[in-house]
Amino acid sequence: MNSNLYAALRANFPKDLNTTAIETDNGLFYSWRDLERGSAMMANFLLSLDLPAGARVAVQVEKSVEACMLYLATLRAGLVFLPLNTAYMSAEIEYFVGNAEPAVVVCSSKNFGWVSKIAFKAGTQNVLTLDDDRTGSLLDRAAQASDAYVVAESHADDLAAILYTSGTTGRSKGAMLSHGNMLSNAQTLKSYWGWTPNDVLIHALPIFHVHGLFVAIHGALLNGSKMIWLSKFDPKLVLQKMSEATVFMGVPTLYVRLLGEAGLTPATCKNMRLFVAGSAPLLKETFDDWKTHTGHTILERYGMSETAMLTSNPYKADARYANQSERRAATVGFPLPDVALRVCGEGDKPLATNEIGGIQVKGPNVFQGYWRMPEKTAEEFAKDGFFRTGDVGKIDERGYVHIVGRSKDLIISGGYNVYPAEIEGYINEMAGVAESALIGVPHPDFGEVGVAVVIAKPNAKLDDAAILASLKSSLANFKIPKRCFVVNELPRNTMGKVQKNLLRDQYKALFHKA
Ligand code: MCA
Ligand code: AMP
């Protein structure tokens, strides 16, 4: 049997391929046949390059339906998709391309100059462009390829995608996900969230992360459900489209921004059946306000790049948990049906109900390891095969999982991950800097944002604005600390380690009233 993920998605397209699969915010309608033919032509083009099995296709392009087709084409050709955040700048792209050694790089035409230089230096032979107005050399080349049906034979454990997730120390690690990892997760969510072919999803997230690329797109395609495709999140446009939709997915910031709109009313949401939140903690306040303004209860779920989705609040009564159907604020719900989840203490020992420890998981969705990092991979797994997520939590007496913190030093800002070690590394290289600490503090819009606390070398004079400007010239915009403080010393424990908890406490009311 062919375990290629595209084959499973395709099998659920509606019988009538002429109906609308995707409607865009600039008035275009793509039929299921368009998705099928467009991705076939791109797949046939990729196959014409005669690439070795497992070759990577790295993609840094603006959101478009053609970019979605390129993802499907990569699956169909049996190649490995490597999506990259559009905010990444040259040093970041240089690392990913150097590490993954993609055979194909697809970028926006405005970036072709610098991206192609990096790619050719890393040995990539094929650098193509794709823009969000249906132009670019990829489409020119694919237009000459056959639209004949093609789906490569894949095994469930063949790689389908590599997602880079930043390392807490050192550089980013590429999480390798297989066709089987992603299909099992999509099938589980299909039934757990009660998808039907009549659903209409508002797709407002970027398509270079698990949430927008896998949870949202697989959800719709595996159910033959239509998507309303927004090129970027715009709260007014979401509300305008809401009456035509049934499902919405967002990081908490999207819900916060929607709550700021006067047009958010029960009437606007009358056809909606499901609001999903995840990628970062959803505040109870947002959960409650949403209920008040719309009459709907947000369903919060939890996942990771390494595992896709792990837990979910119930969509309807869950027979495994005494038929509980309550979606509870500040919990991430129950482990998904095929996910084993435990909370462990020292030595990977499972803890009792309500005891706080490291969250570990096992299941068909758990990744194949980190790209070319066998030792790092081995370190992250317990002896009995459970993956250590780096999240800290507990399971309560009713079975709900709570995330109470992270053992990894990570800031999640507006759904994007920022690793303090990376930013501190850049600041510490700057002239006159003795040391720095990046901490996450509460923020009303992004949930959490980075704040840099910096110490100067003796007799050196540092300027906070200059530090931020210098970071801005080398790092993706969402990683730039929102504030920078130059101070005389950092709090330390008796071992000499910087006590970030004290700094977080000191700066916690910077954007939020305590
Ligand atoms: C933009 N900025 C940010 C962020 N986004 N700063 C911190 N955190 C951010 N997330 C910067 C901009 O560069 C700008 O800086 C300033 O903040 C204001 O930008 P704004 O116009 O408000 O931003 P935006 O373009 O509207 O974007 C906000 C956003 C976006 C729509 C919330 O960040 C977003 O789409 N987030 C979703 C991320 C996502 O999909 N995560 C899923 C990961 P300046 O003015 O200096 O230029 S998947 C995952 O985590 C797991 C597996 C899971 O469970 O799902
Ligand atoms: P990444 O693998 O980079 O996409 O980030 C995954 C991390 O996001 C997880 O390890 C969690 O720390 C965090 N995360 C995802 N969903 C939630 C949620 N609902 N609540 C709290 N944290 C979450």
Side-chain angles (χ1 to χ4, degrees):
M1 199 190 84
N2 188 0
S3 297
N4 188 296
L5 171 61
Y6 182 80
L9 300 176
R10 173 67 183 85
N12 288 283
F13 284 13
K15 274 214 174 61
D16 181 0
L17 290 180
N18 293 321
T19 54
T20 301
I22 303 183
E23 174 190 335
T24 69
D25 51 4
N26 55 356
L28 297 176
F29 290 81
Y30 291 76
S31 66
W32 293 92
R33 190 182 308 285
D34 291 334
L35 281 193
E36 162 64 17
R37 282 190 65 228
S39 60
M41 290 163 87
M42 288 187 204
N44 281 318
F45 161 65
L46 289 172
L47 287 171
S48 75
L49 299 176
D50 225 359
L51 304 172
R56 277 79 58 209
V57 178
V59 178
Q60 190 198 30
V61 298
E62 296 301 329
K63 185 175 175 183
S64 69
V65 176
E66 287 68 26
C68 172
M69 288 180 188
L70 174 57
Y71 166 57
L72 300 177
T74 307
L75 294 175
R76 295 179 73 159
L79 301 172
V80 181
F81 194 70
L82 197 169
L84 294 164
N85 193 320
T86 48
Y88 289 149
M89 296 173 74
S90 63
E92 291 152 323
I93 294 295
E94 192 166 4
Y95 171 74
F96 296 123
V97 169
N99 189 256
E101 297 182 322
V104 179
V105 170
V106 183
C107 65
S108 303
S109 56
K110 68 176 192 305
N111 297 336
F112 181 79
W114 64 269
V115 173
S116 61
K117 215 162 143 190
I118 290 171
F120 292 139
K121 201 172 127 208
T124 304
Q125 307 233 334
N126 307 284
V127 184
L128 297 140
T129 60
L130 175 63
D131 290 325
D132 55 4
D133 59 356
R134 294 187 293 158
T135 61
S137 57
L138 172 75
L139 296 182
D140 295 343
R141 301 282 294 275
Q144 294 159 34
S146 154
D147 64 355
Y149 188 76
V150 51
V151 183
E153 279 292 325
S154 305
H155 293 288
D157 52 5
D158 285 346
L159 287 198
I162 297 181
L163 295 193
Y164 274 88
T165 122
S166 300
T168 35
T169 53
R171 304 308 301 257
S172 275
K173 302 166 289 183
M176 301 188 289
L177 291 156
S178 68
H179 287 262
N181 289 147
M182 300 207 279
L183 180 57
S184 67
N185 207 238
Q187 281 167 334
T188 299
L189 294 177
K190 174 177 173 140
S191 74
Y192 205 70
W193 289 350
W195 280 91
T196 75
N198 293 329
D199 274 320
V200 177
L201 168 78
I202 297 186
H203 193 303
L205 287 163
I207 55 167
F208 38 71
H209 283 307
V210 163
H211 203 159
L213 184 63
F214 299 154
V215 189
I217 291 180
H218 295 168
L221 298 188
L222 192 62
N223 294 284
S225 313
K226 179 178 143 178
M227 287 190 266
I228 297 178
W229 188 263
L230 308 192
S231 47
K232 83 184 278 294
F233 172 69
D234 170 351
K236 288 198 167 45
L237 196 50
V238 169
L239 291 184
Q240 214 178 303
K241 291 287 169 192
M242 197 82 96
S243 62
E244 299 164 36
T246 61
V247 182
F248 178 78
M249 293 183 190
V251 300
T253 301
L254 270 52
Y255 287 97
V256 170
R257 290 188 182 183
L258 283 166
L259 279 165
E261 294 292 326
L264 182 73
T265 62
T268 337
C269 304
K270 70 174 188 305
N271 291 327
M272 292 295 295
R273 71 166 184 90
L274 180 59
F275 288 98
V276 177
S279 309
L282 180 77
L283 295 181
K284 181 172 180 326
E285 182 191 330
T286 313
F287 178 94
D288 290 341
D289 285 354
W290 194 263
K291 214 169 186 169
T292 310
H293 281 79
T294 69
H296 285 269
T297 309
I298 296 176
L299 176 152
E300 184 173 5
R301 74 358 169 234
Y302 153 60
M304 292 182 77
S305 300
E306 287 92 336
T307 61
M309 297 304 99
L310 291 165
T311 73
S312 170
N313 270 279
Y315 172 65
K316 52 185 196 302
D318 190 326
R320 298 170 307 152
Y321 292 90
N323 283 324
Q324 289 176 90
S325 58
E326 190 194 349
R327 296 177 207 160
R328 300 181 65 201
T331 84
V332 292
F334 306 128
L336 286 169
D338 52 0
V339 174
L341 183 147
R342 68 188 188 191
V343 172
C344 292
E346 287 295 311
D348 301 317
K349 272 223 174 72
L351 297 175
T353 301
N354 279 322
E355 282 187 338
I356 292 174
I359 297 178
Q360 302 191 352
V361 294
K362 197 176 185 177
N365 53 317
V366 175
F367 72 137
Q368 311 293 303
Y370 294 113
W371 171 252
R372 291 183 180 162
M373 288 188 184
E375 281 152 26
K376 192 86 210 147
T377 303
E379 272 172 32
E380 307 291 347
F381 283 86
K383 276 204 190 73
D384 55 358
F386 273 78
F387 171 61
R388 303 190 188 102
T389 62
D391 291 308
V392 174
K394 64 174 188 177
I395 303 175
D396 70 21
E397 54 291 335
R398 291 161 67 181
Y400 288 82
V401 177
H402 300 238
I403 297 176
V404 301
R406 303 174 197 120
S407 60
K408 48 196 176 191
D409 190 11
L410 158 71
I411 298 167
I412 305 186
S413 186
Y416 287 140
N417 290 4
V418 179
Y419 282 85
E422 182 187 11
I423 320 302
E424 288 160 1
Y426 273 89
I427 300 177
N428 295 347
E429 294 277 293
M430 292 178 194
V433 170
E435 204 186 353
S436 65
L438 190 83
I439 50 160
V441 302
H443 188 273
D445 183 33
F446 292 122
E448 198 179 17
V449 293
V451 169
V453 188
V454 184
I455 300 186
K457 282 186 176 151
N459 304 322
K461 260 195 128 24
L462 289 179
D463 174 39
D464 52 324
I467 292 174
L468 293 178
S470 166
L471 288 176
K472 231 175 179 166
S473 66
S474 9
L475 287 170
N477 55 19
F478 64 90
K479 296 182 189 170
I480 310 303
K482 296 287 183 237
R483 293 286 296 275
C484 174
F485 295 94
V486 178
V487 301
N488 293 327
E489 60 179 352
L490 295 173
R492 292 176 187 285
N493 64 15
T494 48
M495 311 289 287
K497 198 169 178 284
V498 175
Q499 290 177 294
K500 286 196 171 179
N501 54 332
L502 295 185
L503 285 176
R504 279 192 284 267
D505 209 44
Q506 185 180 345
Y507 293 103
K508 71 179 178 206
L510 207 51
F511 303 98
H512 240 189
K513 295 286 160 275

XYZ file of all heavy atoms in Angstrom, residues 278-281 300-306 332 391 403 406 408 412 417, ligand 2:
163
model
N -3.831 27.293 19.883
C -2.648 26.536 20.291
C -1.384 27.242 19.867
O -1.430 28.362 19.370
N -0.259 26.585 20.100
C 1.113 27.055 19.814
C 1.687 27.852 20.966
O 2.893 28.057 21.034
C 1.238 27.901 18.536
O 0.649 27.274 17.451
N 0.834 28.348 21.852
C 1.257 29.122 23.026
C 0.112 29.068 24.022
O -1.026 28.770 23.639
C 1.547 30.559 22.606
N 0.384 29.370 25.296
C -0.698 29.297 26.284
C -1.793 30.328 26.017
O -1.499 31.498 25.773
C 0.002 29.605 27.617
C 1.465 29.609 27.345
C 1.670 29.778 25.881
N -8.643 24.467 23.231
C -7.183 24.609 23.247
C -6.527 23.248 23.123
O -6.972 22.273 23.732
C -6.703 25.298 24.527
C -5.195 25.538 24.487
C -4.653 26.369 25.644
O -5.421 26.699 26.556
O -3.436 26.666 25.615
N -5.494 23.203 22.308
C -4.738 21.956 22.121
C -3.247 22.262 22.205
O -2.830 23.435 22.227
C -5.158 21.257 20.842
C -4.744 21.783 19.452
C -3.975 22.989 19.394
N -3.369 23.403 18.175
C -2.065 23.683 18.040
N -1.230 23.535 19.022
N -1.591 24.141 16.935
N -2.423 21.217 22.265
C -0.983 21.392 22.489
C -0.197 20.491 21.533
O -0.600 19.349 21.305
C -0.697 21.057 23.951
C 0.677 20.564 24.333
C 1.814 21.335 24.117
C 0.831 19.323 24.957
C 3.071 20.877 24.509
C 2.079 18.869 25.365
C 3.200 19.645 25.134
O 4.428 19.197 25.528
N 0.867 21.036 20.977
C 1.699 20.234 20.076
C 3.105 20.775 19.989
O 3.473 21.707 20.711
N 3.877 20.169 19.120
C 5.274 20.570 18.915
C 5.669 20.256 17.475
O 5.074 19.371 16.861
C 6.215 19.722 19.776
C 6.131 19.923 21.238
S 7.368 18.864 22.026
C 8.883 19.776 21.715
N 6.718 20.899 16.995
C 7.205 20.564 15.653
C 7.621 19.099 15.597
O 7.457 18.429 14.573
C 8.422 21.415 15.296
O 8.075 22.768 15.316
N 8.185 18.589 16.662
C 8.685 17.204 16.676
C 7.578 16.162 16.682
O 7.844 14.984 16.446
C 9.545 16.974 17.934
C 10.921 17.632 17.910
C 10.906 19.023 18.521
O 9.827 19.658 18.538
O 11.975 19.485 18.963
N -4.705 21.927 28.421
C -4.592 21.581 26.995
C -5.360 20.290 26.705
O -5.177 19.670 25.672
C -3.121 21.510 26.536
C -2.507 22.907 26.562
C -2.291 20.545 27.387
N 8.572 20.405 28.012
C 7.496 21.153 28.679
C 7.271 20.550 30.056
O 7.411 19.343 30.259
C 6.201 21.085 27.854
C 6.344 21.861 26.567
O 6.735 23.039 26.636
O 6.108 21.281 25.485
N -0.066 22.623 31.241
C 1.345 22.978 31.039
C 1.636 24.120 31.995
O 0.956 25.154 31.949
C 1.609 23.394 29.582
C 1.319 22.197 28.669
C 3.047 23.852 29.393
C 1.447 22.486 27.213
N 8.289 25.441 31.293
C 9.155 24.737 30.344
C 10.521 24.545 30.968
O 11.029 25.463 31.618
C 9.350 25.569 29.065
C 8.075 25.933 28.394
C 8.331 26.891 27.221
N 7.086 27.528 26.872
C 6.867 28.838 26.909
N 7.848 29.665 27.225
N 5.688 29.331 26.616
N 12.973 23.922 28.977
C 13.824 24.533 27.954
C 13.708 26.045 28.087
O 12.630 26.557 28.401
C 13.385 24.050 26.568
C 11.876 24.127 26.313
C 11.427 23.303 25.115
C 9.899 23.355 24.987
N 9.329 22.422 24.061
N 7.867 32.141 23.894
C 6.931 32.017 22.770
C 6.198 33.338 22.627
O 5.445 33.741 23.502
C 5.939 30.856 22.951
C 6.698 29.544 23.192
C 5.073 30.726 21.708
C 5.819 28.305 23.243
N 8.633 30.921 18.251
C 9.587 30.591 19.307
C 10.855 31.431 19.192
O 11.422 31.557 18.112
C 9.980 29.110 19.221
C 8.827 28.221 19.605
O 7.730 28.706 19.866
N 9.065 26.934 19.647
P 7.491 24.411 18.262
O 7.873 22.995 18.270
O 8.599 25.298 17.976
O 6.409 24.681 17.330
O 6.943 24.795 19.710
C 6.307 23.854 20.488
C 6.110 24.375 21.879
O 5.021 25.289 21.896
C 5.720 23.305 22.841
O 6.814 22.540 23.295
C 5.065 24.121 23.944
O 6.046 24.669 24.804
C 4.412 25.246 23.168
N 2.963 25.051 23.013
C 2.263 24.597 21.962
N 0.935 24.600 22.214
C 0.788 25.074 23.480
C -0.325 25.335 24.338
N -1.581 25.135 23.943
N -0.074 25.809 25.574
C 1.180 26.040 25.999
N 2.267 25.836 25.233
C 2.084 25.359 23.993
